[in-house]
């Protein structure tokens, strides 16, 4: 199984970038991992919240494959402790999934189209 992390917008905070690199290094011992960064939408000041979510949604959907199991990292989603999350990942790794994709949306969340294709939050 491959794990993908799709992010809308780039993180610039040095401590976060270092943390991401450390966990990516650890993950590579257990599974294939890919981070996909979707650049911020240009001219976002001219777009309404719904237009921005729609544009970001189109960019997210373009990065997905039909076989992907998509999990949105959403504030209204299920919460896990570290142990629960590791058990969840182990369960997914033991299943026949080709790829598990975690998606971090933009500042306003996800478009309806992205919510529709998601397997869970």
């Amino acid at each position: 199984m491959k794990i993908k992390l799709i992010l809308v917008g780039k993180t610039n905070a040095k401590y976060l970038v270092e943390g991401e690199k450390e966990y990516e290094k650890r993950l590579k011992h257990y599974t294939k991992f890919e981070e996909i960064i979707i650049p911020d939408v240009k001219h976002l000041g001219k777009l309404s919240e719904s237009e921005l979510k729609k544009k970001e949604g189109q960019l997210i959907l373009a990065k997905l494959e039909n076989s992907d199991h998509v999990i949105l990292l959403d504030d209204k989603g299920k919460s896990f402790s570290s142990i629960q999350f590791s058990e969840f990942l182990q369960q997914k790794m033991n299943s026949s999934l080709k790829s598990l994709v975690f998606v971090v949306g933009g500042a306003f969340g996800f478009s309806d189209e992205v919510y529709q294709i998601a397997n869970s939050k």
Side-chain angles (χ1 to χ4, degrees):
M1 181 179 80
K2 180 177 188 174
I3 296 177
K4 297 181 199 175
L5 176 62
I6 298 176
L7 306 159
V8 175
K10 188 171 181 163
T11 301
N12 293 324
K14 185 178 178 182
Y15 74 98
L16 291 175
V17 173
E18 289 172 1
E20 287 174 10
K21 294 224 180 295
E22 176 63 27
Y23 278 100
E24 183 176 343
K25 186 172 77 175
R26 291 179 188 186
L27 266 177
K28 287 187 176 189
H29 294 288
Y30 303 102
T31 188
K32 294 176 186 172
F33 177 76
E34 178 183 8
E35 181 181 67
I36 301 167
I37 298 173
I38 297 173
D40 289 320
V41 174
K42 303 286 185 213
H43 311 295
L44 64 105
K46 297 178 182 178
L47 300 175
S48 70
E49 180 180 320
S50 62
E51 291 172 322
L52 180 59
K53 287 195 306 187
K54 189 168 188 82
K55 283 195 179 281
E56 289 173 346
Q58 291 168 345
L59 295 170
I60 291 168
L61 294 173
K63 300 293 183 187
L64 298 174
E65 299 174 26
N66 289 337
S67 61
D68 289 341
H69 185 89
V70 179
I71 300 175
L72 304 180
L73 300 180
D74 188 272
D75 61 348
K76 297 170 193 77
K78 185 174 181 178
S79 293
F80 291 101
S81 68
S82 293
I83 296 203
Q84 289 170 326
F85 187 64
S86 68
E87 290 169 350
F88 169 81
L89 279 180
Q90 187 63 57
Q91 177 190 29
K92 295 299 180 190
M93 290 176 82
N94 291 340
S95 70
S96 60
L97 291 177
K98 182 179 176 184
S99 62
L100 182 61
V101 182
F102 294 97
V103 184
V104 178
F108 299 112
F110 300 100
S111 67
D112 291 337
E113 294 82 7
V114 174
Y115 277 117
Q116 289 172 1
I117 60 95
N119 298 95
S120 61
K121 299 186 275 184

